[in-house]
Amino acid sequence: MENNLNESELSEAYLAKCLRRLKEWGAPLEDWRCVDLIDMCEGDDEDTPPTFAKCDLCDCHKVRFVHVMDHPLYFEEVRVGCICAGIMEGDVLAAKERERLMKNRSQRRKNFVAGKWKEATPRKALRLYTRTHKGQKLWISVYPGNRYYVRCDEKTTSRYKGQPIDNFYSAVYAAFDLADPMEDIL
Ligand SMILES: [Zn+2]
């Protein structure tokens, strides 16, 4: 599994294979930048087998954390595992550190989703839930017509993954993204 590779396993043959594929694509060989990290197991529950992705570069089928790599001189993003991301950006240790932070965030997210919200004193036609995360105060407001608004300090949103929030679970995920943003890792 690529994610378990250590430096000694970053063999000449593996490196050569990755560089060969980039050349085949006519893509730059270096100076790629990671623009997003996706946890393939994010939506999984305990009972389902884990979801993995395939690395575009080395074809490893067991990628849990997908590093989305971008280059201004290439027409599309490339989705790879940790070591291949490190090769593309020229810094395997940086890619590993990013993945470690992401793993920790995924654990925090799991704990957050399982955590309790406190129902605040309701106002007219409004339900309000609150809690804290990393020292920040979070609110979920529910308006008639199933309209959800999420607030973390001065940041607010009414959307999750580009869609209007219409259920409590999506509101919880949106609250986590506000309180523990991916931007802190990238
Ligand atoms: Zn790979």
Side-chain angles (χ1 to χ4, degrees):
M1 176 167 167
E2 183 186 76
N3 293 341
N4 290 335
L5 280 176
N6 59 40
E7 272 75 15
S8 65
E9 288 167 297
L10 178 53
S11 66
E12 294 284 329
Y14 176 83
L15 183 62
K17 183 186 166 189
C18 293
L19 294 177
R20 195 163 57 238
R21 178 156 289 180
L22 286 170
K23 279 181 197 155
E24 281 167 14
W25 291 343
L29 303 184
E30 55 192 11
D31 294 334
W32 289 78
R33 196 169 63 90
C34 182
V35 292
D36 199 9
L37 252 180
I38 300 160
D39 179 0
M40 295 302 295
C41 297
E42 191 174 271
D44 293 354
D45 57 48
E46 307 289 333
D47 305 324
T48 53
T51 311
F52 292 111
K54 184 167 87 71
C55 174
D56 284 346
L57 204 55
C58 72
D59 293 332
C60 167
H61 279 79
K62 289 273 188 181
V63 179
R64 173 176 170 187
F65 296 100
V66 176
H67 299 238
V68 181
M69 306 302 286
D70 181 65
H71 197 295
L73 301 179
Y74 199 58
F75 73 102
E76 65 178 356
E77 293 172 344
V78 177
R79 293 165 173 252
V80 297
C82 181
I83 303 300
C84 287
I87 290 170
M88 295 172 84
E89 68 191 293
D91 192 343
V92 172
L93 289 181
K96 283 185 161 185
E97 174 62 7
R98 186 166 64 234
E99 180 149 314
R100 187 186 69 80
L101 294 172
M102 182 64 182
K103 227 174 250 178
N104 291 344
R105 181 184 187 268
S106 288
Q107 189 56 49
R108 286 198 301 277
R109 188 178 189 272
K110 210 173 146 190
N111 296 340
F112 183 85
V113 170
K116 294 252 183 300
W117 290 77
K118 189 167 149 265
E119 186 153 15
T121 313
R123 281 188 268 144
K124 199 179 171 191
L126 168 74
R127 280 182 293 142
L128 193 63
Y129 300 87
T130 184
R131 69 188 284 186
T132 56
H133 181 70
K134 284 181 146 185
Q136 303 160 98
K137 190 128 188 165
L138 300 170
W139 291 270
I140 293 175
S141 322
V142 192
Y143 289 89
N146 250 7
R147 289 174 303 132
Y148 287 74
Y149 290 87
V150 178
R151 182 180 182 92
C152 168
D153 290 341
E154 70 280 15
K155 295 176 283 184
T156 61
T157 187
S158 60
R159 301 177 87 81
Y160 177 65
K161 291 193 189 288
Q163 301 293 323
I165 300 169
D166 61 2
N167 65 81
F168 193 76
Y169 284 104
S170 294
V172 171
Y173 294 139
F176 182 76
D177 284 349
L178 283 186
D180 204 326
M182 278 300 299
E183 289 74 22
D184 288 356
I185 292 175
L186 297 170

